[in-house]
Amino acid sequence: MLYLGWWNEAADSLARHDCDTTFVVGAHDAEAPAKHGFTGRVVVVPDATRVDDVVAGLMRAGIDVAEFDVVSTEYEECIVPAAVVANAYGKAGFPVPAAVALRDKFVQKGLVRDAGLAVARCHTVVDIAELDLAATRAPFVVKPLAGAGTALTYGVRDQASLDRARTAITESGKDGPWLVEEFVDGAELHVDGVVRDGAVTFLAVSRYLQNVIEIRHGALVGSVVVEPGTSPALYARAHALTSAALKAFGHADGVFHLEAFEQSDQLVFSECAGRIGGGMVWETTRAKFAVDLYDEWARAVLGRPSGLEPDRAHDPRPHGWVQLPARPGRVVSAPGLEDLLRQPGVVAAQVSVTPGQIVPDSTAASHFRAARVVMTGETEAALSDDMRRFAGWFAEQVVVEQP
């Protein structure tokens, strides 16, 4: 396989399937494969998300794409470039239209709307200065066409919030066009699972602790898995929405991470990606359902049968994950991995910053955090409360100084 980008878990899954993988990585990830213990072939290019950088880098290294069976990735920003390279060289990989549909929010919303599914109305603007409340009825959301992690995503309700969004987007230096979509009411869900031969063979529905856009106001990023046995109607709706959306995109084999808003009589489509969900979705899904989404991704891209067992049992206890933020600044002291794993209810943990490192501003994007954990609890509601308390406890333990 020729793999664009770098992701530890994807590399591990391919290795377990004895796949001879060549990684094309951006210069900022040049050391990542070796640090993870990968000893195979790595090609370093300026930017692995740019097709011309990838092709030129391979030619400099004397590598012919003809030697590969598959060109793929699980790294979201490389999905379209990988599909273009695969198509250009006649290799197995994502169909280009499906790859674009799973990245470009305007394209996917149009396909979902054409399929008769509930979805927000939207349009694009090239220059953020073009946005004004007279022409676009508030409330609405402005976001990148192919963003991730809620970066540069803003809810606009009045002139003050529009001014804040304009300022932040302008200061980012990013160019448009920008997606402008109507604000949708309802609690936000994410649906994660597997599709094979056009059929959804597994999905898990989770409720976010708070709608992710509220990170601008200090909301926690995390979710609790909804138990299938106690919410069959919700699972039926999620399955119908997901199946129809994936069919509209042409995504027939692989994994998905779909988000939707839960209303009294329907689910409203938000967006969908053709990769495994962020946060600790993989770890939570594995703990709750004994389903390894990275293994299922690898099986799909390698053209191998799914490993899902039809009669597999799942853990009836509630499971969820939460990002643990702390005040921005340089870390003086903070709980370590073993400290987190010793806390009641914690079944998995990751630490992102250690003493001497800088805590990022968690209000800027949903993947910024100091640490994160998977937890279990007595009930779904009680687990949500436990995770909020745990995040508060963690923040109190982290001592930072301003850089």
Side-chain angles (χ1 to χ4, degrees):
M1 177 186 287
L2 178 65
Y3 184 105
L4 304 193
W6 175 261
W7 211 254
N8 291 347
E9 293 82 1
D12 292 342
S13 292
L14 292 171
R16 285 192 289 270
H17 282 273
D18 298 319
C19 180
D20 180 4
T21 309
T22 295
F23 288 89
V24 179
V25 304
H28 64 284
D29 279 333
E31 305 300 323
K35 286 182 179 178
H36 190 64
F38 180 73
T39 58
R41 193 164 58 176
V42 176
V43 178
V44 179
V45 300
D47 186 348
T49 70
R50 290 172 50 88
V51 172
D52 49 347
D53 283 0
V54 170
V55 175
L58 291 169
M59 292 184 69
R60 285 194 300 273
I63 298 173
D64 188 347
V65 179
E67 72 181 70
F68 298 100
D69 301 301
V70 184
V71 181
S72 190
T73 187
E74 202 274 328
Y75 179 53
E76 184 166 7
E77 294 184 6
C78 289
I79 284 177
V80 174
V84 171
V85 173
N87 182 75
Y89 288 89
K91 301 299 177 181
F94 252 126
V96 173
V100 172
L102 288 163
R103 282 289 289 144
D104 189 290
K105 306 300 190 289
F106 183 85
V107 170
Q108 67 178 225
K109 281 180 165 61
L111 292 170
V112 165
R113 188 176 301 106
D114 290 345
L117 304 174
V119 63
R121 294 184 295 270
C122 62
H123 65 277
T124 61
V125 295
V126 175
D127 187 342
I128 196 63
E130 298 173 20
L131 269 179
D132 67 81
L133 295 181
T136 305
R137 183 178 178 181
F140 60 86
V141 176
V142 57
K143 63 173 69 172
L145 284 171
T150 324
L152 297 178
T153 299
Y154 297 91
V156 175
R157 295 185 177 275
D158 51 29
Q159 189 62 48
S161 56
L162 175 57
D163 291 342
R164 287 193 294 271
R166 280 175 173 164
T167 298
I169 289 171
T170 300
E171 291 178 348
S172 76
K174 302 291 186 180
D175 295 322
W178 300 91
L179 184 70
V180 181
E181 63 183 27
E182 66 177 328
F183 185 87
V184 178
D185 291 318
E188 192 172 12
L189 309 173
H190 61 85
V191 183
D192 301 273
V194 180
V195 58
R196 297 303 302 265
D197 297 323
V200 174
T201 57
F202 166 79
L203 63 76
V205 180
S206 302
R207 285 193 180 92
Y208 281 110
L209 297 176
Q210 294 160 280
N211 288 13
V212 181
I213 199 170
E214 296 302 323
I215 63 170
R216 306 289 173 213
H217 307 292
L220 282 176
V221 178
S223 67
V224 173
V225 180
V226 179
E227 170 59 39
T230 59
S231 299
L234 176 60
Y235 268 79
R237 285 179 177 174
H239 194 283
L241 174 70
T242 303
S243 297
L246 296 181
K247 181 179 180 181
F249 304 151
H251 183 29
D253 282 286
V255 295
F256 57 85
H257 173 72
L258 182 147
E259 295 178 340
F261 295 101
E262 184 180 14
Q263 297 181 342
S264 59
D265 59 343
Q266 65 177 350
L267 295 181
V268 179
F269 177 90
S270 175
E271 54 189 56
C272 183
R275 44 85 179 167
I276 293 155
M280 296 189 80
V281 167
W282 171 52
E283 294 88 346
T284 305
T285 304
R286 190 170 54 175
K288 171 73 174 173
F289 295 103
V291 171
D292 185 337
L293 291 174
Y294 273 105
D295 181 65
E296 289 301 312
W297 165 80
R299 289 172 178 272
V301 297
L302 296 174
R304 296 178 179 175
S306 169
L308 294 175
E309 298 291 340
D311 56 349
R312 67 186 178 280
H314 73 270
D315 192 331
R317 296 176 300 166
H319 283 69
W321 61 273
V322 63
Q323 312 270 48
L324 303 177
R327 288 187 300 111
R330 189 178 303 280
V331 177
V332 176
S333 63
L337 181 61
E338 294 303 319
D339 298 316
L340 297 179
L341 292 173
R342 280 195 295 266
Q343 303 306 311
V346 174
V347 298
Q350 296 174 356
V351 174
S352 302
V353 293
T354 56
Q357 295 182 311
I358 301 296
V359 176
D361 181 0
S362 61
T363 67
S366 62
H367 59 282
F368 287 173
R369 77 277 175 183
R372 56 191 182 190
V373 294
V374 176
M375 298 180 64
T376 61
E378 293 298 320
T379 66
E380 291 170 20
L383 178 55
S384 296
D385 292 340
D386 290 345
M387 292 196 298
R388 291 187 176 93
R389 282 192 293 270
F390 191 89
W393 169 84
F394 177 84
E396 291 175 355
Q397 306 306 306
V398 180
V399 178
V400 301
E401 60 182 6
Q402 297 306 308

